[in-house]
Amino acid sequence: MVLVGRIIKGIGGFYYVSTEHGTIECRARGKFRISNIIPIVGDYVDVESQNLKDGFIVNIHDRKNQLVRPPVSNVDQAIITFSIVSPDLNRLQLDKMIILTEVNEINPIICINKVDLVNEDEYMPIYNTYKKLGYEVITTSKYDNIGIDKLKTILKGKTSFFTGPSGVGKSSLINCIHGHERQEIGDLSEKLNRGKHTTRNVELIPIDGGYVLDTPGFTSLNLDIDEKNLKRFYKDFQVFESECRFNSCLHINEPDCGVKSAIANGLIDRTRYANYISLYNELKANRRRRY
Ligand SMILES: Nc1nc2c(ncn2[C@@H]2O[C@H](COP(=O)(O)OP(=O)(O)OP(=O)(O)O)[C@@H](O)[C@H]2O)c(=O)[nH]1
Ligand SMILES: [Mg+2]
Ligand SMILES: [Zn+2]
């Protein structure tokens, strides 16, 4: 018989497909390799199975979206997880991660974790900055049990993936939500000293009508857009663009720039702008390297 299911895990050529009759261990039919489509975690697939234990993937449904790193499809939202300390917040990485999800048309949700380690006046400015930009921001802590219920509500019925630097507590949050130690968590000093990521497998974990994907913390992020388009991802700049002399203004060296005067007047967050310039230069350098 043929059933519809979703790939929740892939290991060594085997795909584990969750169906209404349980999880079926599948191999892919050769034709996928020929047409260059490789099944990935998150795919909705048709499975042919005689015994409901093992079978073959015979068709992959169209993907709503698809990420390269980690390889996963049909994602609704990204839980971009950061801490203020341990490890220290890197605003450039945060902005980059937000843009990366928006490029892939995935809704970003910013999660400031480990708030037990800092005072309110240390995390509220970040909270407010991103809230004002229109993003959903939550604060969490596994030790003080802060924000866990809120996070559960956000995850309900959706496919979400956790992303963020190594050691910020992504796996810990998933364990909290799950109510038991499902994911291995790691010691921060070990991660920093040996560059060791605790989480390695790409796997969808069922949660309250939805799925979460734990991912290993990133060390570098590969953003692949034209630097001239970068400004499109800065809603906070766009409000002032009508005051730029040139339509094509990139808000860098141009005269009579509305964005730069907004910064001078304290109307745009300076760190955001400084990181915009860094990112702009990085994208430009990457493009030059490619040609
Ligand atoms: N103080 C504090 N520590 C936390 C919190 N959440 C996690 N930690 C600790 O942070 C360390 C790293 O946690 P993990 O959950 O392994 O971090 P991760 O983001 O999954 O790391 P990778 O899998 O390497 O990307 C562990 O020692 C956790 O106990 C928190 O809310 N507060
Ligand atoms: Mg982890
Ligand atoms: Zn400008």
Side-chain angles (χ1 to χ4, degrees):
M1 64 195 272
V2 175
L3 317 108
V4 178
R6 190 164 193 203
I7 303 178
I8 55 168
K9 189 163 73 170
I11 299 173
F14 285 102
Y15 300 94
Y16 296 84
V17 180
S18 169
T19 71
E20 58 174 335
H21 297 291
T23 302
I24 302 177
E25 187 183 84
C26 297
R27 285 189 166 279
R29 276 268 158 85
K31 67 173 174 189
F32 295 122
R33 257 155 289 171
I34 295 163
S35 56
N36 247 337
I37 303 170
I38 294 165
I40 56 175
V41 169
D43 280 346
Y44 291 97
V45 293
D46 297 334
V47 165
E48 216 173 78
S49 173
Q50 307 299 329
N51 54 12
L52 299 177
K53 282 201 177 80
D54 47 52
F56 287 98
I57 294 173
V58 294
N59 182 34
I60 303 173
H61 298 200
D62 285 344
R63 293 168 182 155
K64 174 172 113 174
N65 54 31
Q66 179 184 351
L67 287 170
V68 180
R69 274 199 318 175
V72 61
S73 65
N74 303 312
V75 176
D76 298 312
Q77 55 191 11
I79 314 297
I80 301 178
T81 312
F82 278 83
S83 51
I84 303 292
V85 296
S86 176
D88 285 350
L89 171 66
N90 179 330
R91 290 276 308 269
L92 178 59
Q93 274 187 340
L94 173 56
D95 286 346
K96 215 167 155 182
M97 196 62 228
I98 293 171
I99 296 167
L100 203 65
T101 57
E102 291 184 326
V103 167
N104 287 294
E105 291 176 12
I106 295 167
N107 185 37
I109 288 158
I110 298 162
C111 174
I112 308 172
N113 191 32
K114 303 197 187 186
V115 292
D116 57 284
L117 297 178
V118 286
N119 295 323
E120 231 177 68
D121 58 349
E122 287 169 272
Y123 66 79
M124 279 317 281
I126 297 296
Y127 180 93
N128 289 330
T129 300
Y130 288 90
K131 197 87 184 165
K132 233 167 49 194
L133 291 171
Y135 293 112
E136 182 154 11
V137 191
I138 57 167
T139 53
T140 52
S141 161
K142 73 165 178 183
Y143 289 125
D144 292 356
N145 195 31
I146 295 170
I148 305 299
D149 285 338
K150 182 84 198 276
L151 185 56
K152 277 186 189 163
T153 314
I154 289 171
L155 299 177
K156 198 174 174 160
K158 300 240 167 77
T159 300
S160 317
F161 82 104
F162 280 77
T163 180
S166 188
V168 296
K170 300 177 293 297
S171 301
S172 299
L173 283 172
I174 289 173
N175 284 344
C176 267
I177 288 153
H178 233 259
H180 68 273
E181 301 297 297
R182 192 183 189 292
Q183 295 298 97
E184 192 194 339
I185 65 163
D187 187 53
L188 192 66
S189 62
E190 264 204 351
K191 289 182 209 288
L192 298 179
N193 294 338
R194 294 202 240 139
K196 181 186 152 221
H197 300 293
T198 311
T199 305
R200 276 177 231 102
N201 285 344
V202 177
E203 181 182 350
L204 288 181
I205 302 162
I207 261 168
D208 209 3
Y211 287 101
V212 295
L213 181 85
D214 196 0
T215 69
F218 50 73
T219 39
S220 67
L221 285 170
N222 196 12
L223 188 59
D224 187 18
I225 56 169
D226 191 307
E227 71 273 9
K228 293 190 183 63
N229 292 332
L230 184 62
K231 64 174 183 177
R232 292 189 195 164
F233 297 93
Y234 288 78
K235 288 175 240 173
D236 39 342
F237 297 3
Q238 281 153 12
V239 202
F240 302 102
E241 276 176 352
S242 58
E243 284 152 46
C244 296
R245 191 203 297 182
F246 305 107
N247 263 338
S248 60
C249 188
L250 298 171
H251 325 309
I252 296 175
N253 292 317
E254 298 89 339
D256 300 328
C257 169
V259 171
K260 281 205 291 190
S261 47
I263 286 155
N265 294 324
L267 300 170
I268 289 176
D269 184 89
R270 276 177 195 275
T271 310
R272 283 266 295 172
Y273 180 70
N275 287 335
Y276 166 77
I277 303 286
S278 305
L279 210 47
Y280 177 90
N281 288 328
E282 186 185 315
L283 292 173
K284 194 167 161 181
N286 287 349
R287 188 167 53 84
R288 291 231 170 104
R289 216 172 295 136
R290 272 200 300 275
Y291 295 119

